[in-house]
């Protein structure tokens, strides 16, 4: 028996009702080929700076993609080592092939998930695969992709062009010298746009192990003598400006809650001195972190960097996996989050300030209609971020539009972000959002809530005007 | 180029699938012209008592409508002053015209929101506007509406008739003399029904600034010497009866939580004495307030007034706006709410009592299936309120029916409330609910879960039987 | 006028769009007649062991079904006594007839609820009723069902065969001698499978009234001298093994929260000694209960019993009803629940252990996409339970699939459970899940997210492979 074909349908993800699908198809045609704006993600800038060809399918497609890793792990029978985790592990050809086989053998467990959609799209559209992954087809697909990777059209830069990326943001440590970004900027043969993002989380957690080393490093990099709270802010200000000079448009923040309550100056400094001595308690550390986050907003009003927030994830939930593979390989789990009270101090101070932009992402979908849309429906600088991470799939994107649009409309939403380490999935991920938004808008047209011309203009706005405006790109 | 037409489609908001739409249309035809029952809202009774013609489109349509104000504010470029906020501001013709222009210029930001739907309906159906609002058409539409407002058919009473309103509830301070309601009652030329609603929130917050003045005023109005907790309840009882005599059918309550825990009599009185002295702490004030709310239910069992509850809004989130314009102009934001434990003391005592009716509204949609439907599915006096305020739009109304019906059916839901200050939007708001309920029921018929005759009877129940029964109208 | 017919449509619950409905119908045909696997429910094993004919329609269909009881109570006009509550009440023929009449008279209040669907299916399919319940048809339907119950084809065992049940789990006290299960096992004429479930809730609540008596009883039954924490665990281990020997495949747990935090051994024993003395505080009792639950997982790793968890219900919310009728007759209400942090200690220790299975049920739907799917999408032993109790109806099952599939796919979900005391509704309840899953999968096919062959295989998996795998049946 010949293997089942892999043949993604041109109408996939559009609503099933024929009339609505026709409208969706028309809307989608206007945006299907629009340039990709990716204002939040995790592709290493080095890939593009060095333009080294990718080594093998597994290292490229599986190792860095914790979406896939998690699902294969959960299904049983696959260990993270099989997939080349952690990033940086050198795989022999045999190991890489075996890892890739694990994906194909477990293809069924991905059914109905976005991971299936992404792989189907990238296998087919990027690498020309025409058979459905399975134990039988694993080697054939592996060989086909491995063969592609030896060609000039599949280097990081060639794919950047082919993917039609207009701007790609990375995520970077405040002390990073951004050498890859600078290398790109100085390369006359490169005309893409890869911008860094300032991610100071660890520097704003004064009660966490390692904070004092980070602070010492920060002092070294900035030449600021960090002896009190004020000098810490000054060091932050300095690095934010350095990032901005290297093209950054935003700062990114993720803590266990969204709190932004201020302390008195004296209290902040008292806590800061304890942090420097290593004696601050966890709860005082949280209080100081909330104060620091509030001050990031103040700095944002000055330097114009957009602030993005995506709190409330229990990191490294599975301690054995953390010990074995380090952070960011899978064991993170969302939990409830509260925004209305938590963001009040920051929004009250800066929410309507000229040039201040705050984009709030959530994995607690309950906050969309209850908190985020109402906040964005009042404060000028506040935008509701698109579904992200655990919920960046078709149904969740549809729920997001249904939950947010009634109160905040379209103009207070961020546009899609892919947030990915899986470079080759970027077009597929943006394509999901474009298809679902087209379907959502098509429904509004079919229900006579928008005219077609209104919907068509909105479809274009969502992939171009909005991300450019919100992220100042 | 001639401007885009404004031409609301007769099938708007109906499901797109042709078979379901046909059923929805048939169901809707039976209720489209049913009288409007509006048991909760904020239109001033004075408008109908005095029947003074409306001054200008902006003061009528924009100034009192915080839905619109918020969205225009959030979009940037519009200040609340431009829209005549706060209510009572006298606008020159030029100012009114400029404010109205702001709406039309920002028409796009309303896309996909109910505000767009409401304006499209009222512009077209009430004022005969035939062009889509835009910078180009702003003056033309303003002139057309302004011209209408000079005519006899557009006085408050003429519109009341034209809107086919059967009953309209206002929201009133317990110390109000309800003079406008009495004037209407005594007017032999008036045959409508405008009933007051007893809203004692501020009188039940003993730790809030101003409570002692309110209490003194309450004592004066009732001739009750308020010296202890018992006499305060007596004063409340007196005013509730006065409201009932003036036609009130319900009392309305909104606090930061839904708590109804009782204190011992001694504890209640101890807290009350501290409140009278102005020394009660905020947390004791909350505890006393929960006790007081519990006692409102006891009074309701005696006088039969329906109790409505809509807790959990962070009021005046934006302090600069509060200082500049006062309360109720926009900066309110919902947050999570808990009902199962909070309402237990009150429901345990009165939930099955003869004649006790409690309607609970929420903006935390998570409570619909988890708490409110199960509570209403047991306690005889408990009803689940319709979506309201931030969530009174088509998609949220559909979500409400989908979340509540499976457990509580239709007979334990309140019927739609418009809760509006925007008088001319009342028909459009009720029309949204009628259309969405028709669509919801049509789906049940199309999926063979109800027969057509069952659905048709239910459609009528939802606009007539239910609100009359639940609100004792 | 002849009464309205009762004629359930073959396409009921399928999506309305004709193309999707066709696909749903094809998928459903493959599973409509599949054997019923019921791994969690409350039908008494005695019914099947004794095979005594059922006495009357009311005692069989209404008395044990708290879904129906609640809704009729909430509608007003029906008291629980009318329906034969509590279970065990002997009804005269006149009383039984009157109770049944209450259902028919109030038929309208069930509209749009699953109770309507279940009754329509069982009346029609099991008892051959052809008229819609109403005041007029009540006696006719009662007589028809009563007549059936006198026949051999309607004994408990005959219905078990007719319902095509492959396995049926009961819920049992750890000290139960499981005599009915043993009687069935020893009966050569019985070839069905009725397995007990170990439900130790009350034994794990050391601060609750009655715990000391239960513990004394447990000591007696196990012959373990329960003098410290360790011996209590040993007694538990013993009874779990006894249950396993009698065919049990799972243990079932329901507490007010999902906490599994461990205490130190010394602390656990200190609390245990206080519990034995009756002096443990409620909060220490909760802490000890969480520790005990954690240890149930350890025992599960040893004996292989599947662990099911369904926390967060406020039991006996209405105290007057509790006093009059006892527990489990209606007054239970769900509330919010937290899993990410609560389950961490247990999952961190056992979540990936060989053979450990944990199925988590919730009535707080917000946890599906935020917590449960992400947890099941990492830990190998964790599965997301199907909607249950207040949310086991068509719309909620559809929401569950939409919320869970994107992250956890199908292979980490439990399969449907009926959780019912209403024996004759078992086929109808499983039929709802099969229809809705068929509709969900049909939509994925129609939107080109799955091929038809993938969907067909998945449909079968959901009614066979998954429940067998997850519950080790």
């Amino acid at each position: 028996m010949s293997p089942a074909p892999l043949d993604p349908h041109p109408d996939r993800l559009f609503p099933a009702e024929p009339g609505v699908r026709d409208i969706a198809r028309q809307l989608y045609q206007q945006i299907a080929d629009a340039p990709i704006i990716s204002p939040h993600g995790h592709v290493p800038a080095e890939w593009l700076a060095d333009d080294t060809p990718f080594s093998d399918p597994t290292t490229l497609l599986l190792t860095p993609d914790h979406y896939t890793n998690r699902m294969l792990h959960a299904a049983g029978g696959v260990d993270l080592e099989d997939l080349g985790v952690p990033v940086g592990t050198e795989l022999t050809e045999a190991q890489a092939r075996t890892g890739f086989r694990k994906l194909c053998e477990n293809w069924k467990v991905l059914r109905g998930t976005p991971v299936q959609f992404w792989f189907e799209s990238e296998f087919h559209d990027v690498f020309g695969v025409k058979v459905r992954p399975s134990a039988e087809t694993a080697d054939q697909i592996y060989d086909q992709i491995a063969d592609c990777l030896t060609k000039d059209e599949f280097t990081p830069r060639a794919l950047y062009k082919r993917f039609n990326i207009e701007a790609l943001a990375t995520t970077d440590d405040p002390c990073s010298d951004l050498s890859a970004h600078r290398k790109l900027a100085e390369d006359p043969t490169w005309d893409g746009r890869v911008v860094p993002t300032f991610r100071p989380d660890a520097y704003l957690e004064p009660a966490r192990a390692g904070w004092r080393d980070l602070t010492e490093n920060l002092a070294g990099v900035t030449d600021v003598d960090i002896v009190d709270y004020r000098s810490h802010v000054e060091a932050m200000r300095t690095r934010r400006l350095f990032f901005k000079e290297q093209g950054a448009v935003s700062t990114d923040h993720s803590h266990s809650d969204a709190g932004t309550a201020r302390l008195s100056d004296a209290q902040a400094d008292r806590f800061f001195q304890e942090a420097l001595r290593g004696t601050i308690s966890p709860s005082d550390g949280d209080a100081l972190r909330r104060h620091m986050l509030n001050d990031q907003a103040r700095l944002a009003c000055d330097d114009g960097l957009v602030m993005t927030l995506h709190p409330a994830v229990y990191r490294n939930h599975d301690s054995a996996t953390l010990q074995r593979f380090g952070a960011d390989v899978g064991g993170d789990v969302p939990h409830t989050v509260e925004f209305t009270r938590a963001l009040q101090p920051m929004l009250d101070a800066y929410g309507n300030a000229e040039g201040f932009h705050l984009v709030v992402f959530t994995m607690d979908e309950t906050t969309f209609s209850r908190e985020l849309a109402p906040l964005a429906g009042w404060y000028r600088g506040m935008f509701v971020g698109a579904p992200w991470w655990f919920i960046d799939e078709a149904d969740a994107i549809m729920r997001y539009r249904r939950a947010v649009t009634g109160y905040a409309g379209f103009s207070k939403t961020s546009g899609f972000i892919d947030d990915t380490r899986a470079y080759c999935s970027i077009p597929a991920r943006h394509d999901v959002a474009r298809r679902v938004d087209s379907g959502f808008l098509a429904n509004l047209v079919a229900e006579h809530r928008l005219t077609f011309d209104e919907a068509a203009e909105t479809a274009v706005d969502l992939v171009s005007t909005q991300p450019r405006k919100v992220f100042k790109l």
Side-chain angles (χ1 to χ4, degrees), chain A:
Chain A
M1 207 176 82
S2 66
L6 180 69
D7 187 20
H9 196 282
D11 286 340
R12 62 197 184 281
L13 296 184
F14 294 157
E17 201 284 314
V20 184
R21 183 157 55 196
D22 278 351
I23 302 169
R25 202 186 282 130
Q26 291 174 57
L27 292 170
Y28 175 70
Q29 275 162 5
Q30 312 206 21
I31 55 172
D33 299 322
I36 286 175
I37 300 173
S38 176
H40 180 74
H42 295 271
V43 170
E46 287 71 19
W47 288 7
L48 290 152
D50 302 340
D51 205 26
T52 311
F54 296 111
S55 61
D56 65 81
T58 298
T59 305
L60 172 60
L61 302 175
L62 304 188
T63 307
D65 188 357
H66 52 64
Y67 288 77
T68 308
N69 296 344
R70 280 184 72 121
M71 297 205 71
L72 294 181
H73 174 270
V78 183
D79 287 319
L80 295 188
E81 291 96 331
D82 300 335
L83 307 171
V85 176
V87 170
T89 305
E90 300 254 335
L91 296 180
T92 65
E93 202 276 347
Q95 287 173 324
R97 185 176 291 273
T98 304
F100 194 82
R101 173 174 286 277
K102 296 282 185 186
L103 171 73
C104 297
E105 286 170 350
N106 286 282
W107 190 244
K108 183 174 158 178
V109 307
L110 304 180
R111 255 180 219 165
T113 74
V115 181
Q116 177 193 25
F117 184 97
W118 299 329
F119 275 128
E120 287 183 351
S121 286
E122 62 189 286
F123 283 177
H124 185 273
D125 298 348
V126 180
F127 299 107
V129 174
K130 306 281 194 232
V131 294
R132 189 192 291 174
S134 69
E136 289 69 39
T137 60
D139 282 337
Q140 169 187 349
I141 298 174
Y142 182 90
D143 289 338
Q144 183 165 347
I145 297 174
D147 184 56
C148 287
L149 297 182
T150 64
K151 298 183 184 165
D152 287 349
E153 308 97 274
F154 289 85
T155 65
R157 289 194 185 184
L159 289 174
Y160 183 97
K161 287 280 173 202
R162 179 163 162 204
F163 293 165
N164 194 19
I165 296 175
E166 179 178 310
L168 181 72
T170 62
T171 300
D172 306 274
D173 188 282
C175 289
S176 165
D177 61 7
L178 303 179
S179 55
H181 295 84
R182 283 186 291 143
K183 185 172 171 186
L184 282 167
E186 289 158 8
D187 183 342
T189 69
W190 167 251
D191 63 352
R193 183 173 185 188
V194 176
V195 302
T197 300
F198 186 79
R199 175 90 178 248
D201 291 355
Y203 297 80
L204 306 183
E205 294 281 9
R208 290 266 176 86
W211 180 82
R212 288 196 293 171
D213 291 343
L214 289 170
T215 303
E216 198 173 305
N217 195 24
L218 178 67
V221 169
T222 54
D223 246 349
V224 173
D225 194 15
I226 304 182
V227 294
D228 55 12
Y229 182 71
R230 174 191 289 262
S231 48
H232 188 265
V233 173
E234 177 56 21
M236 279 285 144
R237 198 185 64 77
T238 307
R239 290 310 288 173
R240 292 172 60 105
L241 287 176
F242 171 71
F243 269 64
K244 193 175 181 187
E245 283 160 20
Q246 304 310 321
V249 296
S250 72
T251 71
D252 185 39
H253 307 271
S254 178
H255 300 284
S256 59
D257 62 60
T260 59
R262 286 198 72 77
L263 304 169
S264 70
D265 288 353
Q267 186 65 285
D269 208 57
R270 212 151 42 231
F271 285 169
F272 195 83
Q273 296 304 333
E274 286 185 33
L276 285 178
R277 286 193 300 271
T279 58
I280 192 168
S281 72
S283 70
D284 290 349
D286 285 341
L288 183 54
R289 179 251 296 162
R290 294 181 194 116
H291 182 79
M292 285 172 155
L293 194 65
N294 189 304
D295 268 340
Q296 290 285 323
R298 182 162 57 80
L299 295 173
C301 289
D302 292 341
D303 61 29
L305 291 175
V306 176
M307 193 166 184
T308 70
L309 216 68
H310 48 87
V313 180
Y314 190 121
R315 303 278 175 177
N316 307 309
H317 198 271
D318 177 357
S319 60
T321 298
L322 172 68
Q323 280 161 33
R324 195 153 159 208
F325 300 102
D328 293 328
V329 299
D332 301 337
V333 185
H335 54 75
T336 51
V337 65
E338 198 284 324
F339 291 115
T340 300
R341 284 170 275 221
L343 294 179
Q344 197 275 339
M346 186 165 85
L347 287 171
D348 194 42
Y350 310 111
N352 294 315
E354 184 69 30
F356 177 72
H357 281 197
L358 171 69
V359 188
V360 181
F361 298 92
T362 187
M363 283 178 303
D364 179 351
E365 303 185 57
T366 68
T367 61
F368 281 139
S369 77
R370 187 182 58 219
E371 303 175 30
L372 296 183
L375 287 167
W378 173 255
Y379 290 104
R380 289 175 174 164
M382 161 103 189
F383 299 87
V384 187
W388 150 83
W389 200 351
F390 290 85
I391 51 171
D392 67 351
E393 45 96 17
D395 285 330
I397 296 172
M398 189 60 94
R399 288 198 294 273
Y400 158 75
R401 288 285 173 214
R402 287 192 174 134
V404 166
T405 308
Y407 201 81
F410 296 100
S411 68
K412 303 305 302 275
T413 62
S414 70
F416 182 72
I417 59 156
D418 55 70
D419 186 38
T420 195
R421 292 170 162 77
Y423 187 47
C424 291
S425 74
I426 289 177
R429 286 166 188 255
H430 285 260
D431 192 48
V432 169
R434 290 170 187 197
R435 289 174 179 275
V436 176
D437 282 344
S438 297
F440 176 75
L441 289 163
N443 241 313
L444 295 186
V445 174
E447 295 180 358
H448 305 291
R449 296 159 75 171
L450 291 185
T451 60
F452 183 83
D453 70 296
E454 290 174 319
E457 190 189 39
T458 300
V460 174
D461 283 350
L462 293 180
V463 297
S464 59
T465 322
Q466 282 305 120
R468 285 192 196 114
K469 178 185 82 179
V470 174
F471 282 95
K472 304 183 177 178
L473 278 162

